[in-house]
Amino acid sequence: MTREISLLVNPTAGRGRGAHAARPAARAFEDAGFTVRTLLGADADDALRRAREAVEGGTGALVAVGGDGMVSLALQAVAGTRTPLGVVAVGTGNDFARALGLPLRAPTAAGRLAAELLQGEAGRDIDLGRVGDRWFGTVLASGFDSRVNDRGNRMWLPVGRFRYDLAMIAELAAFRPVPYRLTFDDGTERQVEATLVAVGNGTSYGGGMRICAGASMDDGLFDVTVVGDCRRTTLIKVFPRVYRGTHLDHPAVTVHRVRSLTLDAPDVTGYADGEPLGPLPLTADCVPGALRVLAPPAGSSVPH
């Protein structure tokens, strides 16, 4: 194995935490005997080009320093290869790292853990979701949650997560259930009025909202959470339970486990790992073992 690893850095992640995290993360790798090459793209396209060149050039690992957006970009470079992905999670949401039990906003600890796993040629093979040529690691969101994203992305102020809290309040006032057509991998088709449909390879989105709380990243299946037609008052009461995953017990919520799913609904944008995929219809496939990731075995705990 080559001793050179590539650090893919988003300096603006987490309101500037990405820039501050790069140095201690790099030092952790250097202390373990690795040579570190830092990749800084002029924009997302340039960063992805540099990441793909590093993978094609035989880098020992690609390590994403930033939030879920940077992880999403890194996935496009390493998915389907044997180049392992490391994550130094210093963004706002960090749902990919959270699902894998990795340190959050602790760049030295994250770098040391990744270096130890890389030295021991350890890590995990996990599943990824794929929509067309786009890969995702956590959740594909559609419906109420994706419309909150749409509205939040159109708002300039306020900054940070408060912007999305305001967007959620505005969407609650305007929201109507969406008529979905869901086509499962066995050919079964269901038409349902739903508040949202979330397709989970991982458990959470939005910084710990456990919308697909029972999802496993290595079972070859998606957990599909369908929140049916419910009143605004019900949604307001149920939605806070998503942080504990107890919303899955509500009678308006159903869960399906499938290998693939086609979502179709009018005027709905799909988001995966917080990034826009485009309007529905979209078909998502679960690809078993698509990623080698520098993370401890499932169920292990590490310092956060």
Side-chain angles (χ1 to χ4, degrees), residues 147-231:
R147 287 181 174 174
V148 169
N149 255 321
D150 284 339
R151 185 181 290 269
N153 289 342
R154 293 194 300 268
M155 297 168 63
W156 289 97
L157 292 172
V159 298
R161 292 189 61 185
F162 188 53
R163 176 173 60 185
Y164 291 93
D165 292 339
L166 291 181
M168 183 179 296
I169 293 169
E171 277 301 319
L172 275 172
F175 188 78
R176 298 291 184 276
V178 177
Y180 276 90
R181 184 170 69 248
L182 308 178
T183 306
F184 300 109
D185 50 15
D186 63 359
T188 301
E189 185 176 292
R190 297 194 180 188
Q191 298 196 31
V192 59
E193 295 281 325
T195 300
L196 64 87
V197 178
V199 182
N201 181 58
T203 55
S204 69
Y205 60 12
M209 298 165 65
R210 294 170 55 81
I211 188 68
C212 299
S216 169
M217 300 181 93
D218 57 8
D219 64 354
L221 298 171
F222 290 132
D223 273 32
V224 181
T225 300
V226 180
V227 179
D229 183 358
C230 56
R231 297 175 181 270

